[in-house]
């Protein structure tokens, strides 16, 4: 039952108050019940809740939402509402039950507005029900209604037929899809089988090709290894600048003074306590002038040297050195790299008009140093009895020799001084206080003795505080035997060495040495020795 303005209650004063809506003051229409058990017309309560959120019943303020409402279940209340007496305002028929009023309007009320029975065919007439018969007498559509009915029946029949066709088509389509799925599954199975067979063939071919490639790779690796060995024999060691030294090579026993030799002082033709040195391709000598805290350059056949680093008194300023021990040339960056020993730092100093150095490694008891072909720096840490390798930009380094405490085991060093690195990155280090030269192959945890190692002494099996060391292409070791004032040669695997320079007691004659330290060769094989206590550098020409 919905709201209807076409009737009025005939006995309103006798209606039970329990059937009256508190909002509209009329009997309930489409009654809804709240959770607090109050009943209202549906339209009334929904409109009310659009502006309020509490129950409108007197003495009740319970919170209320539209979704909390429920239709009143059929029962006595609904039955009583349906049996209320009403009067039709259109035709004034009374009494009518309110529950039957909608049927009265739709079927019986003579004054209710209705449409022509042929409105579905296009007639637009509407009017009171008691006027319908008069209209039908003149309605064109009514006269054609039988024809329209026949057409509509045919249309309905056609629609039914179309529906049957659609059903059949859908059924056939489903069957087609099922057959297609079956065929697809069959094709997919065949594809999987073919793919499996193809993969097996590919794997077989791949295995065959890999076998061939492995053979070729092995052959190439062997060829590369042979080429490397040939190149190794042709290329000079990094520090020595050698092209080749024959196993039976000899040097003139009387040396030529090519730097210093004019007494211990700080003039340009003098040295004071020289240590390490290096010789470039032009036979220019760079020597560490230890007591003068500088690096000196002596051109070939020159009588005076030139300060190229330090020379500003001892100190820790960027323009100073303090007790340097060794120097090498970094051709890539056109600079010197110097062990600034007392200042516990490694310094890079420009070769061209350099007035100050740059500290590249700090807090290291540095002594000897060298560099491999990759630009990696190797530094002797005399205090920690170890050798560390520093990659470019690295300030911590990696231990490559020693670092197991001071001692004479094969994994230990004691007072290491100078070092050499060959093309295989094996490290040769003068283990000075153990009177031996040790070789550490790359990646090993201990070294092997390649010279000395028989205690201190002057026999051919012994060394006494060895210093500078160079290794040639045949792994022959050349070492400055400081305490015995001689230079010795130890072929690979030899148990004793041979004296190639000096060994004529300590002295200042041309065939004598006094505490040799630094050692190097030029590209012709001539030997350069830093004669420490004579404050000079001696050159011994190869015969």
């Amino acid at each position: 039952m919905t709201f209807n303005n076409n009737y009025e209650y005939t006995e309103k004063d006798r209606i039970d108050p329990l059937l009256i809506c508190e909002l509209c003051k009329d009997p309930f229409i489409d009654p809804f019940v709240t959770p607090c058990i109050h009943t209202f017309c549906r339209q009334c309560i929904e409109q009310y809740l659009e502006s309020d959120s509490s129950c409108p019943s007197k003495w009740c303020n319970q919170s209320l939402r539209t979704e909390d409402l429920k239709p009143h279940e059929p029962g006595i209340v609904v039955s009583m509402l349906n049996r209320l007496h009403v009067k039709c305002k259109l035709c004034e028929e009374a009494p009518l039950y309110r529950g039957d009023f909608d049927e009265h309007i739709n079927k019986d009320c003579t004054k209710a507005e209705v449409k022509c029975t042929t409105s579905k065919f296009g007639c637009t007439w509407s009017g009171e029900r008691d006027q319908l018969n008069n209209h039908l007498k003149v309605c064109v559509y009514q006269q054609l209604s039988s024809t329209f009915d026949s057409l509509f029946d045919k249309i309905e029949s056609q629609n039914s037929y179309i529906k049957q066709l659609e059903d059949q088509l859908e059924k056939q389509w489903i069957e087609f899809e099922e057959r297609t799925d079956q065929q697809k599954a069959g094709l997919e199975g065949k594809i999987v089988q073919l793919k499996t067979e193809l993969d097996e063939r590919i794997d077989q071919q791949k295995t065959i090709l890999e076998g061939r490639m492995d053979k070729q790779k092995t052959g190439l690796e062997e060829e590369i290894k042979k080429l490397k060995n040939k190149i190794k024999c042709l290329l000079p060691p990094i520090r020595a600048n050698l092209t080749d030294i024959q196993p039976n090579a000899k040097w003139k026993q009387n040396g030529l003074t090519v730097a210093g030799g004019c007494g211990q002082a700080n003039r340009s033709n003098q040295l004071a306590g020289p240590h390490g040195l290096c010789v470039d391709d032009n036979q220019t000598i760079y020597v560490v002038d230890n007591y003068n805290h500088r690096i000196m350059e002596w051109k070939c056949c020159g009588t005076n040297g030139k300060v190229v680093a330090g020379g500003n008194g001892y100190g820790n300023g960027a323009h100073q050195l303090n007790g340097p021990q060794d120097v090498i040339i970094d051709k890539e960056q056109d600079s010197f790299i110097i062990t600034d020993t007392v200042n516990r730092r490694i310094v890079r100093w420009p070769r061209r008009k350099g007035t100050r150095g740059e500290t590249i490694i700090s807090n290291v008891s540095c002594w000897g140093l060298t560099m491999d072909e990759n630009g990696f720096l190797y530094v002797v840490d005399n205090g920690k009895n170890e050798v560390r390798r520093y990659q470019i930009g690295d300030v911590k380094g990696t231990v490559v020799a020693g670092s197991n405490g001071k001692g004479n085991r094969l994994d230990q060093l004691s007072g290491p001084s100078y070092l050499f690195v060959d093309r295989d990155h094996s490290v040769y280090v003068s283990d000075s206080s153990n009177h031996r030269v040790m070789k550490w192959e790359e990646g090993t945890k201990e070294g092997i003795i390649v010279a000395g190692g028989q205690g201190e002494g002057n026999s051919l099996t012994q060394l006494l505080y060895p210093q500078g060391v160079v290794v040639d292409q045949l792994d022959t070791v050349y070492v400055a035997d400081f305490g015995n004032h001689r230079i010795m040669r130890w072929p690979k695997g030899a148990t004793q060495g041979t004296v190639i320079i000096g060994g004529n007691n300590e002295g200042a004659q041309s065939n004598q040495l006094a505490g040799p330290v630094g050692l190097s060769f030029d590209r012709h094989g001539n030997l350069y020795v830093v004669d420490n206590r004579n404050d000079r550098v001696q050159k011994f020409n190869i015969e």
Side-chain angles (χ1 to χ4, degrees):
M1 186 78 181
T2 59
F3 280 93
N4 198 319
N5 294 323
N6 291 327
Y7 66 79
E8 59 185 15
Y9 295 97
T10 59
E11 300 173 339
K12 191 171 183 179
D13 55 341
R14 297 177 61 185
I15 297 175
D16 191 331
L18 295 176
L19 301 179
I20 301 300
C21 174
E22 292 185 47
L23 293 172
C24 66
K25 310 304 180 183
D26 282 327
F28 299 123
I29 300 295
D30 194 10
F32 265 56
V33 182
T34 68
C36 48
I37 319 300
H38 294 111
T39 304
F40 303 93
C41 300
R42 178 179 182 178
Q43 184 174 337
C44 293
I45 189 63
E46 288 181 348
Q47 290 178 350
Y48 171 83
L49 290 176
E50 289 178 0
S51 59
D52 205 329
S53 60
S54 60
C55 179
S57 182
K58 191 176 182 180
W59 313 117
C60 182
N61 291 318
Q62 182 170 328
S63 178
L64 189 61
R65 300 175 302 172
T66 302
E67 52 265 33
D68 297 330
L69 303 175
K70 293 183 179 180
H72 202 297
E73 294 183 1
I76 296 175
V77 173
V78 175
S79 178
M80 291 174 66
L81 289 169
N82 287 337
R83 294 185 66 80
L84 291 176
H85 288 169
V86 296
K87 174 184 176 181
C88 180
K89 291 181 180 182
L90 298 177
C91 66
E92 297 186 351
E93 183 177 347
L96 297 169
Y97 289 129
R98 196 185 81 170
D100 298 333
F101 187 77
D102 287 345
E103 184 178 0
H104 166 74
I105 289 294
N106 293 331
K107 291 183 179 182
D108 301 326
C109 182
T110 59
K111 298 300 181 180
E113 184 175 349
V114 296
K115 292 181 179 181
C116 178
T117 56
T118 62
S119 60
K120 65 180 180 179
F121 302 137
C123 181
T124 59
W125 180 89
S126 65
E128 295 177 352
R129 182 175 278 111
D130 58 4
Q131 299 296 320
L132 178 59
N133 289 333
N134 292 332
H135 165 71
L136 292 176
K137 292 177 182 179
V138 296
C139 180
V140 175
Y141 291 95
Q142 178 64 24
Q143 296 173 11
L144 298 174
S145 62
S146 60
T147 303
F148 282 132
D149 287 340
S150 176
L151 287 173
F152 270 87
D153 289 342
K154 289 181 179 179
I155 290 172
E156 287 295 326
S157 177
Q158 289 294 325
N159 287 339
S160 177
Y161 179 67
I162 291 171
K163 182 66 170 58
Q164 291 178 2
L165 290 176
E166 288 177 345
D167 291 342
Q168 291 178 3
L169 182 61
E170 183 177 1
K171 181 179 179 182
Q172 291 174 356
W173 178 254
I174 292 172
E175 292 175 352
F176 172 75
E177 286 185 333
E178 290 176 351
R179 288 197 299 270
T180 302
D181 289 341
Q182 292 174 355
Q183 292 174 353
K184 181 180 177 182
L187 288 173
E188 287 177 346
K190 291 181 180 179
I191 291 172
V192 170
Q193 183 179 355
L194 289 172
K195 185 176 183 299
T196 301
E197 293 175 357
L198 181 61
D199 288 342
E200 290 176 353
R201 292 179 183 177
I202 291 173
D203 288 340
Q204 291 174 357
Q205 292 296 322
K206 184 178 178 182
T207 301
I208 294 171
L209 289 173
E210 286 178 346
R212 292 176 181 173
M213 290 176 65
D214 287 341
K215 290 181 180 179
Q216 293 176 353
K217 181 180 178 182
T218 301
L220 287 172
E221 287 176 346
E222 291 177 355
E223 290 296 324
I224 291 171
K225 187 175 181 180
K226 291 178 182 178
L227 287 173
K228 283 184 176 180
N229 289 333
K230 290 181 180 179
I231 292 171
K232 181 180 176 182
C233 293
L234 293 174
L235 291 175
I238 296 167
R239 192 179 184 91
N241 296 319
L242 293 179
T243 54
D244 190 17
I245 293 181
Q246 296 299 321
N248 57 351
K250 294 182 179 180
W251 290 264
K252 292 183 178 180
Q253 294 301 298
N254 293 310
L256 302 174
T257 300
V258 292
C262 297
Q264 187 180 98
N266 62 0
R267 294 197 301 272
S268 62
N269 65 343
Q270 293 178 308
L271 297 171
H275 279 69
L277 87 161
C278 58
V279 182
D280 69 12
D281 293 339
N282 298 319
Q283 295 181 299
T284 299
I285 301 166
Y286 299 92
V287 59
V288 175
D289 193 5
N290 181 270
Y291 297 163
N292 288 323
H293 315 289
R294 64 189 183 182
I295 308 298
M296 296 291 289
E297 174 191 87
W298 247 275
K299 297 287 186 181
C300 181
C301 302
T303 57
N304 289 78
K306 180 179 72 172
V307 178
V308 292
N312 298 302
Y314 67 89
N316 60 5
H319 64 299
Q320 294 175 305
L321 298 172
N322 192 352
Q325 292 292 338
D326 203 3
V327 61
I328 60 173
I329 298 172
D330 182 355
K331 293 182 179 180
E332 185 71 23
Q333 297 196 31
D334 195 26
S335 61
F336 300 108
I337 300 179
I338 305 163
T339 54
D340 190 10
T341 304
V342 177
N343 285 326
R344 294 176 54 81
R345 64 188 181 185
I346 307 294
V347 176
R348 181 184 297 279
W349 201 291
R351 290 181 69 186
R352 313 296 175 185
K353 299 180 180 180
T355 58
R356 57 200 303 115
E358 172 196 3
T359 299
I360 57 176
I361 301 172
S362 301
N363 299 318
V364 55
S365 297
C366 48
W367 204 269
L369 83 164
T370 191
M371 181 181 287
D372 67 18
E373 77 279 5
N374 297 317
F376 296 170
L377 200 61
Y378 296 74
V379 179
V380 171
D381 189 326
N382 184 270
K384 293 182 178 179
N385 296 290
E386 67 182 21
V387 178
R388 284 184 178 264
R389 178 181 63 214
Y390 296 85
Q391 297 186 21
I392 298 171
D394 182 12
V395 295
K396 293 184 178 180
T398 302
V399 174
V400 293
S403 193
N404 293 299
K406 184 177 182 179
N408 61 3
R409 298 197 312 263
L410 294 180
D411 64 342
Q412 293 179 308
L413 297 172
S414 179
S417 54
Y418 293 89
L419 79 164
F420 184 91
V421 176
D422 67 15
R423 294 288 176 180
D424 295 325
H425 304 130
S426 294
V427 177
Y428 295 79
V429 56
S430 288
D431 190 10
S432 186
S433 296
N434 283 325
H435 314 291
R436 65 189 183 183
V437 176
M438 300 288 290
K439 175 183 178 181
W440 253 269
E441 294 183 352
E442 187 175 21
T444 57
K445 298 298 183 181
E446 62 180 32
I448 58 174
I449 299 172
V450 293
Q454 302 298 318
E456 60 180 279
N458 61 3
S459 73
L460 295 180
T461 63
Q462 294 176 307
L463 296 171
L464 186 59
Y465 300 107
Q467 297 293 312
V469 59
V470 175
V471 182
D472 69 12
Q473 297 86 346
L474 301 177
D475 293 339
T476 299
V477 176
Y478 300 82
V479 57
D481 190 4
F482 178 87
N484 290 319
H485 318 293
R486 63 190 182 184
I487 308 300
M488 295 195 72
R489 173 169 59 192
W490 293 69
K492 182 179 180 180
T495 57
Q496 68 177 33
T498 58
V499 178
I500 59 172
I501 297 294
N504 301 310
N505 298 319
E506 180 178 4
Q509 299 299 316
S510 61
N511 67 341
Q512 290 180 307
L513 298 171
V517 179
L519 190 66
S520 187
F521 290 91
D522 65 21
R523 59 191 178 91
H524 302 292
N526 301 314
L527 179 60
Y528 296 76
V529 180
V530 173
D531 194 8
N532 176 266
R533 294 176 183 170
N534 286 322
D535 302 299
R536 66 186 182 182
V537 176
Q538 295 290 91
K539 176 183 177 182
F540 297 89
N541 290 317
I542 192 168
E543 293 182 349

